[in-house]
Amino acid sequence: MCGIIGYVGKKKPIPVLIEGLKQLEYRGYDSAGIAVVLNEEVRIRRVKGKIALLEKSLEDSPLDGLYGLGHTRWATHGRPSEENAHPHRDCTGTIVVVHNGIIENYLDIKESLKKKGHQFKTETDSEVIAHLVEEYFEGTLENAVLKAVKELEGAYAVAVISTKDPQKIVAAKIGPPAVVGLGEEEFLVSSDINPLLKYTQNIVFLEDRDIAVITPAGVQFLDFGGRKLQKKIDHITWNPMMIEKRGYKHFMLKEIFEQPQVVRDTLQGRLSLDSANVCLSEIGIPDEILSDTGRVVIIACGTSYHAGLVGKYFIEAMAGVPVDLEFASEYRYRDFILDEKALVVVISQSGETADTLAALRAVKEKGPQTLAVCNVVSSSIAREAAGVLYTHAGPEIGVAATKTFIAQLTAMALLGLHLAQVKGTAGNKERLRLIEELLRIPHRMEHILHDVQKIEKLAARFVSFNHFLYLGRWVSYPAALEGALKLKEISYIHAEGYPGGEMKHGPIALIDDKMPTMVIIPKDRVYDKMLSNISEIKTRIGYIVAVAFDNDETIASRVDEVLPVPPVDPLFSPFVTILPLQLFAYYIAAIRGADVDQPRNLAKSVTVE
Ligand code: F6R
């Protein structure tokens, strides 16, 4: 996963690189480093630990330079240590590399380079890139990189500098993302767009096998054959304000509070009350093709998978089309069967998740329609799918997904309605009812966010429990899965999400006074069934917190605590039931002093397998 950044331009590079690394820190945070060049000398500083330590080290003992590279690491090959931290050097110390990805054949390359006299200092796969560029250096840096990349197998976004060809960064990629920012007399390369927004909104997304040659005079793009490329420049509308905490203690809390607006933004311009229609012509798949959909297959990972599960229920209920939901990491290796009437929907916030991208590519080989639901504009998945439905959540910095999950639910509701419309499976009256319900959701969410003290107090009481069970059924089952995932990710407490009906097939054995159960029980078609779950848990002296609709006296009399949410159409209840669960996880983690925005071992964008 790792984050890379490079800067050439009129500013002093170190503040630009450090600020950029802070915005990329969600990609990995076990070690960090920078390299800058001054007077034909490369100066490197690396630390084991977070960017703050690197920043402190540079404050205590400043470095100066004219241009440079930075890296934040999520270790794959070689334990986190200062020595294994990037940037890595060649034998001469004149060539410096930062890398995101995995070089699968690095041991072979290392062996053959050692035989030629190269000396390696680290346990990483990345170091071979610096030595390969050294081996091939003759003339320009880009020529050496062009030769080096031909030997690399695996996935990489790499940026290289050399004092032998100064004032130049050469970047190349296969797999992980790399974007180039085109500013006024300043140019940057980065793993994502966030660090670039302060300097420019004109962005070029590198495709696999692209090379960018970045100098103060401009950027030249080449393919791996050395041929010049004309690249499309995207103008990104996200602005730098969107990636600030704005008074919140953590990005995650800020992002939880942004959710009502995210629903509004994702619905905006896509619904018409007059015609009871959803307008999704922007996605690029004609209605005639969509109306022929015989089956939908949703593919995703993690939280996006949970949004996909809600999406399955939405589409089946609204459009009457059968939906399969698949983990991308499993699907890509399956002998899956798709006919020409299948619509494959890949959901990915980042649009860069390696497994989801690989599954999309495998699907495309078989020919069916593909639609991406993505948050990051022009990300790899958004570019490679035939159509794209963007979620308008803005940049999400907290590693644990919150507002992008809500945005994905909104997108799936829109897709369900759109399929219902083009297939004629829901009439105007029913579509209008659902549209009106959807439009009311943000207000209902705000109601929950107006008073979060009860949730905070409850979290304080539960902070020392080590195990939680989350139960839900029908659309509350994905909410249970997602609530449990949030708790484990940020507080490191063991939590299991389960469908209520499965409790008696195993998990009931776990119930005792040391394992509280979070029961998600809106008034819906499985309400009575979930009441039975509650009785079964109470019989076994289990503690219960219920997420239920306001003023549900029955629930209040049967459980220990209620986290109330305003009533909504039961189909759309995950939009509201997830909020107390996100906040509960957040407060538990914050009270435990956990690093909420950057939980251990995780990275936001999983660009390696
Ligand atoms: C959980 C979380 C992850 C991601 C997963 C997929 O909070 O953020 O589970 O949902 O890594 O990422 P995307 O959506 O970028 O494909």
Side-chain angles (χ1 to χ4, degrees), residues 301-304 348-350 353 399-401 408 485-486 489 604 606:
C301 303
T303 287
S304 298
S348 174
Q349 181 287 126
S350 61
T353 299
V399 165
Q408 289 166 345
L485 181 63
K486 290 295 88 109
E489 280 184 299
K604 186 147 191 78
V606 187

Side-chain angles (χ1 to χ4, degrees), residues 113-140:
L113 287 173
K114 271 185 180 169
K115 283 187 191 136
K116 293 181 182 162
H118 289 261
Q119 289 183 350
F120 288 81
K121 299 184 199 75
T122 78
E123 299 159 339
T124 67
D125 54 337
S126 313
E127 193 186 356
V128 299
I129 306 169
H131 291 273
L132 264 184
V133 174
E134 175 190 2
E135 187 63 25
Y136 287 120
F137 206 104
E138 203 184 279
T140 64

